[in-house]
Amino acid sequence: MPRDASVTRNGIIAAAGKLFYRGGIRSVSVDDVAAAAGVTKRTLYYHFRSKDDLIAAYVESRDSPTVAIVLGWMDEVDGSLADKFAAVFGHLARLARKPGWRGCGFLRMAAELVATPGHPALKAAASHKKAVERAFAARIAAAGFDDAAARARQVMVLFDGAFSSMLVHRDGAYAQAAGEAAAGLFLAPRRARRR
Amino acid sequence: MPRDASVTRNGIIAAAGKLFYRGGIRSVSVDDVAAAAGVTKRTLYYHFRSKDDLIAAYVESRDSPTVAIVLGWMDEVDGSLADKFAAVFGHLARLARKPGWRGCGFLRMAAELVATPGHPALKAAASHKKAVERAFAARIAAAGFDDAAARARQVMVLFDGAFSSMLVHRDGAYAQAAGEAAAGLFLAPRRARRR
DNA sequence: GTCTATAAGCCGATAGAC
DNA sequence: GTCTATCGGCTTATAGAC
């Protein structure tokens, strides 16, 4: 008896996500994904038109949960905005020290798909990063800082930089450094620096 | 008559570098590299034990030239350290707007080789980023700032973050934002912020 | 909707001549 | 040191049965 279509489909996405995050897109074959999901390749191709389609579905499935995690890090701290951002980067440093950590899946996606500019997964990754940046800007504005958009962009650069530097060096100290720089941006309400 | 070995070898590395930077490692085949270098695959495998060996040689060949380029951006500016770092990020923003720009090859290498932790090319990429960070620290110390190592690490996070955010969004504004944040770290000699 | 089986092509790497 | 030719394996994707 056929199982519910969405259950099978979501199981494939979950299995693909684990493998893609662990090893990257191109090093993981469709056979690998099907085996990990416990279905045959034919079933996988029934639910997804192509491997690229599956990749895009995986990235989209990680968007909202990832934003919620980051905002959760901010909300669980009672303190100033500087404290909240320090907590975010502290959590990044902590995650990066775990054995299975492999950087930011969205940034790695952008790096691996650099030769196919219009790829749906690329658009989804960019859209996700914009969502995080908008969420940062909303918190910054709510805390009474002006130039929230400009400040959020600076925090976002530190956020992505922490992921990238830590992926290269496998050293959580880079997230700590990013957190110090981010906290310094919000020591007191003031105008963002202009050039 | 056989050409000088190093000429052929360097030609292969140069051809590989162009293709690897444009499309990534895994999407470029050994056949592609050999054809672009104007040699046969057998000749390529005479000069390099494997594709991984060629990848490592490519990354190593880009280390010193890349450091020199960045330091050149700082040296051509007569001004404060804040001005010099603003120039660095201004050049990044300018480069990112060029059609062939594909982000930082070293960071993309780290992303694409994430599943093979001991890869020689990965070690070379990490070594290169450390060299840039040390060069930043030397300039910061020479300008009279204390905590040069900690400050250089913060600049490095902004540097890598600018590359990553710009690769995702294809928007030079992220390098400008990073430059503003970096300049803010060096408005006047003072102690780096501690947590 | 899920299965077995296979197509059609590309991959890294090698053999052997000269 | 460089060539032509090719191997065995892996890749994405599809055919046809049930």
Side-chain angles (χ1 to χ4, degrees), chain A residues 3-75:
Chain A
R3 297 160 69 195
D4 184 58
S6 67
V7 172
T8 304
R9 181 185 158 91
N10 288 337
I12 294 170
I13 292 176
K18 273 190 188 177
L19 294 177
F20 286 158
Y21 181 74
R22 185 190 309 265
I25 300 166
R26 298 196 64 115
S27 77
V28 173
S29 71
V30 176
D31 294 77
D32 296 334
V33 174
V39 301
T40 63
K41 210 160 35 169
R42 192 66 186 86
T43 299
L44 189 152
Y45 275 104
Y46 173 81
H47 288 283
F48 300 93
R49 197 183 313 166
S50 65
K51 186 183 180 182
D52 284 328
D53 192 25
L54 172 60
I55 294 167
Y58 152 61
V59 175
E60 284 160 16
S61 78
R62 298 306 310 158
D63 175 17
S64 297
T66 304
V67 174
I69 288 170
V70 175
L71 291 184
W73 289 341
M74 297 187 76
D75 291 341

Side-chain angles (χ1 to χ4, degrees), chain B residues 115-184:
Chain B
T116 54
H119 198 293
L122 259 182
K123 294 177 181 173
S127 169
H128 163 75
K129 288 293 182 183
K130 279 288 180 196
V132 174
E133 187 178 335
R134 274 196 307 272
F136 283 162
R139 305 292 168 118
I140 293 167
F145 289 84
D146 54 9
D147 287 318
R151 291 172 190 271
R153 195 179 286 170
Q154 293 184 349
V155 175
M156 203 60 209
V157 173
L158 288 166
F159 191 71
D160 287 343
F163 272 117
S164 301
S165 297
M166 286 196 297
L167 187 62
V168 169
H169 297 299
R170 296 284 173 167
D171 184 352
Y174 286 88
Q176 293 295 347
E180 292 163 17

Side-chain angles (χ1 to χ4, degrees), chain B residues 77-152:
Chain B
V77 171
D78 281 327
S80 69
L81 198 57
D83 293 331
K84 288 175 181 291
F85 279 121
V88 168
F89 288 94
H91 278 287
L92 278 193
R94 177 182 57 81
L95 282 186
R97 294 188 179 101
K98 295 172 77 172
W101 185 82
R102 299 284 162 86
C104 172
F106 301 94
L107 292 181
R108 282 174 44 205
M109 191 70 58
E112 202 163 358
L113 295 181
V114 71
T116 54
H119 198 293
L122 259 182
K123 294 177 181 173
S127 169
H128 163 75
K129 288 293 182 183
K130 279 288 180 196
V132 174
E133 187 178 335
R134 274 196 307 272
F136 283 162
R139 305 292 168 118
I140 293 167
F145 289 84
D146 54 9
D147 287 318
R151 291 172 190 271

